[in-house]
Amino acid sequence: MMHTRKIDISKLIAVIALCMPVMLCAQDSSAPAARESLLYLKYQLKNNRIPYLQVQTKTKEGKAFLPAGNVPVELFLDKDSAAEALIGKVTTNNLGEATIWMPGSLAKAWDHASDHTFYAQAKAVKNFDAMQASVTIIMARLELDTAAGSDGRSLKAKLVKKEGESWVPMPEVDVRLAVKRLGGYLPVAGDETYTTDSTGSVTGEFALQHLPGDSTGKIEVVARVEENDEVGTLETSLLVPWGEPVVYKSDFNKRSLWATGRKAPIWLMLIAYGCIIGVWSTVIYLFINLYKIIKLRSQA
Amino acid sequence: MKEHSPLSTEKIISDLYPKKFGRIGRVWTLFLVIVCLIGAYAYYRQLRYGLVVTSLRDYVSWGIYISNFVFFVAISLVGSLITAILRLANAKWSTPLTRIAEMIAVSAIVFASLIIIVDMGRPERLVYIFTHTRIQSPITWDVVVISTYFVISLLLLYLPLLPDLQILNSHPNRNTGFLNRIYRFLGAFWKGTREQEAINNRSIILLCILIIPVAFTIHTVTSWLFATTYRPGWDSTNFGAYFISGAFLVGGGAVLVAMYLFRKFYGLQNYITYRHFDNMGRVVVMLALLYLYFNVNEYLVPAFKMKKPEEHHLEELFSGKFSLGFWFAIIVGMIIPMFILMFKKGRRPYPAFWAGVMVVVGAWFKRYLIVTPTLLHPFLPMADVPESYLNYFPSWEEWAIAMGSLAGVLLIITLLARVFPIVPMHESITENDAHQEN
Amino acid sequence: MEDNLSSRRAFIAGGLMAMLNPGCSSGENSIQPSGEKVKLLSVDGEEIEVDRAFLKPVPDLPPLSNAEERVGIKGKKFVMVIDLARCKNVGKCRESCNHAHALHPDHNWIKIYQMQDGDHTAPYWQPTTCMHCDSPPCVKVCPVDATFKREDGIVAIDSDRCIGCRFCMAACPYTTRVFNWEDPGVPEPLASQHYSCESSIPQKKGTVGKCDFCPDKVRKDELPHCVTACPNGVFFFGDIIEDSVTNGTETFRFSELIRDKAGYRLMEDLGTKPSVYYLPPVDRNFPFESGLPSTQETTTPH
């Protein structure tokens, strides 16, 4: 069953602004009208590898949220300034977005604590006012593996957070178990929802029958913790051979009436070129006759 | 039943020899040139600002340019009707009309191609039709058959002209220097030897046979530009025959008009006689009946079923905002001329001329009604477009270009009639001699 | 808006970060390593060397040639599902599409129809995109290969080829095509960029335009503009080979969605085989009236 998303209108407008193209940025740089600058900061981790931060700069002008491109933003770890805490400097692109990874130079500070506060400082520029944002995240890992289910096709994800020097299970967190698909995540078992238990684990049966995979039947399954206040967004993926092998045979190269000119149907070409050759050879014959008539002038 | 008494060869030559424009001729030509120039200026504006200068918009994306195109293609079919079909049917009476018919055909087909280029959003990319050809597209077929038909029509105008060119070349004093050069270039090689005549006659007969399928193709393919779509009013298996019968009718009407005007202004009473009007009138009656028959098929059958997509379209034609034009095209364009020409008195030159005018004008509106109303009745409702997209009435630029192209056709005919004999001289002399011998 | 931001960003980063993990194989667009390594920090505090070429929020995809744009994305066959039960004529799909493609102000590639099939049937709102037919009547009639069917099912337009004959517009029974009657007024720098059959930017005077299913977005693992812009999740986009469609928030198996909700296509009888499916307006999320312009003024704050 499908459910309607409830979304407040500011979200909706922001989403649209997010999707707005380059040209809007070009426009807003020349508009000094009353505006509000907005700065967003996110923490993300994929496959328990390198955490990264996403920065987004936007301008609210009247009722429209426009991406603010070309805004320099400095990011800091645990301190809101100071050179030694600098993660890096980024400049947002024309969608008002930028991404930065944790540099190796911060290893010491990183190990120092089990939670970190990230600071973003946007500098005032022509199209953006000075802003800052921060987000505090407990370091966490999301592990994903297969587990023996009723038919041997289950997924088990485990969420652990850093506490001192050790990783401890994190209960009561919503985790999604899904298959990565074009532009979205297909739940492995319909409407089923998963919340971590006292061991930080969720187990979900892979209920998708005959799901098309790649040519060898492999599919990419993911566990996701989305927008969690404590741990941010975590995603871990795994390739499993639970799909149907799919080899797509396109009829793109078939001759048809809607194929390109070079791939016209044979019957059509036979008819068309047959007619053309028939008529034009007659026309050429007539021109030859005319030429004969012209040649005959000397005999008169 | 010959009405006229035998004439001397000299009289025939002097009667039919191309004449300098008189005052009326000069004013007429000047008028046509001015109309063409206005059209050219409108086209300059269209090139500069884009097709936005027209009233065409996303729903009615084809307008009077395309209906004019269909009209020109239709009228050009007369060349094959009068010259080829009647010649092959051995209808000797049609001989004096062949040149007129071929002149109309050639000039109409020239402007049919031009108006299609005018309709293009990117005329400078015309060459892509040849460099990136898709043989699947009916437009490609149309381009092929139009160019083929143009060449064939030109040959059919030219080959029977050769003996006349000999006559013209033998009177250099009667021609201007410029015309002498043209005549020499076109026909100096024609000596009228038996061999030449034999080859030429063979060629003409072959041409007459060849032009019939090509003429049918040209207008059938033109009808397919519409019939290959799903649109109500176009989605018809009847369309090819419907278009061809309509084309023969308008061509016949155009010949009646041209016969009358040339007869009057060129003093051809001895050559284009009551008999020609009588016969041509009968032909037009038959063609009008034929076209009416196809119209009944085209409208009565869908109207009987009243399928949902057709419903709105047909109602707009029968009783809605297009009804005036629709019934005008049916009644004035077919029924009234048919009744006029049914009676012997109606087949005299003057009433026949007016019947021809009605046929031609009715046919022009008919083409407009085939193209435009359909586009205003899409399958899905009209939505999310500006108000101006919901209706269509041609802008002045479109009218100027359309009228300019009509004037262009008339201008070419006028100029051809200035340069070449309107009635074949050589054939008239031969037939006159044959008549005398009898 | 937070979750939309992150989920959308995740598509991009997903493809990218997968590169950092040899166990995953999602990104289909190959990135050439630059050879220059940078040291980054893992969540465990380890230092990891990564090639700089992978450190871009959106990978720099090599520009596509016209020939590649005419073939499309290999191994994909795009499909859209439009859920009529969720549409209340908000029009954000149309708006974002118009902006994203820098269309002439008169033009809408997405049109939202107020439909009522019979006298006593219920009215509903029906958004239409290009149907990307598998037997496209518009492509059949094009004389110069200016509009063409790609291997991924998309019917695209090459505005550098189009001669402006408008036969395709007459041929399309869904009236989805628009024509640039005048200069579309594309702003810089888009106006001077080279035309791409995938982004359909910039539109050009005297040529035809229409919905392109946004393959330029799909190449970056993003969804078309209309899909992400719709506040009600009306549009589902996906790959029929993967048997899945998503509106960004919800993802369904295409075959199950069509089966369970009795999906259908427009004008099936014409044999055009559209790639856009509709779910009938049953169990509506909104009453039809809420989409009427008069009602919308009061229910849709700006």
Side-chain angles (χ1 to χ4, degrees), chain B residues 31-43:
Chain B
F31 166 74
L32 292 177
V33 168
I34 288 170
V35 177
C36 283
L37 287 176
I38 296 171
Y41 172 69
Y43 187 53

Side-chain angles (χ1 to χ4, degrees), chain B residues 147-224:
Chain B
S147 36
T148 308
Y149 189 74
F150 173 69
V151 172
I152 294 177
S153 291
L154 216 50
L155 277 175
L156 199 50
L157 179 63
Y158 179 53
L159 294 187
L161 193 65
L162 286 172
D164 283 8
L165 284 170
Q166 189 187 16
I167 299 172
L168 294 170
N169 272 324
S170 59
H171 298 83
N173 301 334
R174 296 180 72 159
N175 313 325
T176 65
F178 177 66
L179 283 183
N180 270 329
R181 249 178 293 157
I182 293 180
Y183 296 149
R184 270 201 305 276
F185 173 76
L186 288 175
F189 57 84
W190 181 265
K191 304 294 177 200
T193 64
R194 284 178 70 133
E195 261 180 295
Q196 279 184 326
E197 274 189 351
I199 296 173
N200 203 26
N201 287 341
R202 254 199 337 265
S203 292
I204 289 172
I205 289 172
L206 188 57
L207 260 180
C208 287
I209 297 168
L210 184 65
I211 200 169
I212 293 171
V214 175
F216 271 67
T217 313
I218 182 179
H219 214 44
T220 306
V221 169
T222 301
S223 83
W224 287 350

Side-chain angles (χ1 to χ4, degrees), chain A residues 111-181:
Chain A
D111 272 345
H112 181 256
S114 54
D115 61 347
H116 294 287
T117 305
F118 304 96
Y119 293 92
Q121 307 267 16
K123 293 226 176 96
V125 285
K126 206 175 98 199
N127 62 332
F128 205 78
D129 302 329
M131 287 293 296
Q132 53 176 308
S134 68
V135 58
T136 302
I137 296 292
I138 304 171
M139 296 302 102
R141 297 171 56 95
L142 180 62
E143 266 131 27
L144 178 65
D145 205 350
T146 54
S150 55
D151 60 350
R153 301 209 304 182
S154 280
L155 288 170
K156 184 179 180 185
K158 186 175 183 186
L159 181 66
V160 289
K161 66 178 175 183
K162 201 173 177 190
E163 226 174 70
E165 288 300 304
S166 56
W167 298 90
V168 300
M170 220 181 146
E172 299 296 313
V173 175
D174 288 339
V175 178
R176 283 174 77 181
L177 296 176
V179 178
K180 179 74 192 84
R181 283 316 205 202

